[in-house]
Structures are given as structure tokens and as C-alpha cells.
Amino acid sequence: MNRSENSSGPHATRTPVQGAPGLYRQARRHVHMTRRLDISLYRKSFLYLALVGLTLYAVLFSTTPAVHDFFHEFRHHLMLVPCH
Ligand SMILES: [Zn+2]
């Protein structure tokens, strides 16, 4: 299933391909970048806790109208965080 795409280098994706193969190549490039990414447990845990903290803050304490109104009923059903 290997096509004859012998173009390699930084300008390989600049060549006009018909839609899906370019997208597939870009996805494979991102998979390679992710596999090469090597971060320590400390940084992983920091990223994880920051993500969880931001999510909980957005759901429970955000005053942005769109987010606040969307989670309004959920927040009242929790009966933990008063909002009015
Ligand atoms: Zn309320």
C-alpha cells in the first residue's frame, strides 16, 4: 500500500495533493512528533492537574455568561457552589 511518494523534506506537504492524502500525511507527522515528545512525570502531572483544575474552575466558578448559563442547573444540583 506504499505509494510512490518519494518527496521528502520540509516542502513535501507544499505539493498539491488531492485532499485526503495530505491530511493523512499531516496526521502521521503529528503522531511522530507526539511519540518523540518525552516529558518527565513532574511535567505530566503538572499538565494533568492544570487541565483538571481549569476544567473544574470553568464548570463550577466561571462567570463567563455562556459557560455559567450552560452549567447553571448542574451547579445548583450539586448544592455545593452558590451562585446567587
Ligand atoms: Zn444559580
Side-chain angles (χ1 to χ4, degrees):
M1 293 295 284
N2 196 4
R3 291 180 184 173
S4 64
E5 292 173 347
N6 51 4
S7 65
S8 63
H11 299 290
T13 57
R14 290 301 182 107
T15 59
V17 289
Q18 54 271 32
L23 188 66
Y24 182 68
R25 186 185 302 158
Q26 190 70 24
R28 270 202 312 189
R29 176 175 291 176
H30 278 272
V31 166
H32 283 296
M33 284 166 55
T34 307
R35 282 184 183 154
R36 259 189 282 126
L37 191 67
D38 189 23
I39 54 178
S40 63
L41 182 65
Y42 175 76
R43 288 187 178 176
K44 278 182 205 168
S45 60
F46 175 78
L47 286 173
Y48 179 75
L49 290 176
L51 198 64
V52 169
L54 278 173
T55 305
L56 283 178
Y57 176 79
V59 170
L60 297 178
F61 300 106
S62 176
T63 56
T64 305
V67 182
H68 182 91
D69 293 345
F70 186 79
F71 290 111
H72 201 177
E73 292 299 319
F74 174 71
R75 192 178 304 131
H76 275 273
H77 286 307
L78 283 179
M79 292 164 62
L80 290 172
V81 184
C83 68
H84 50 231

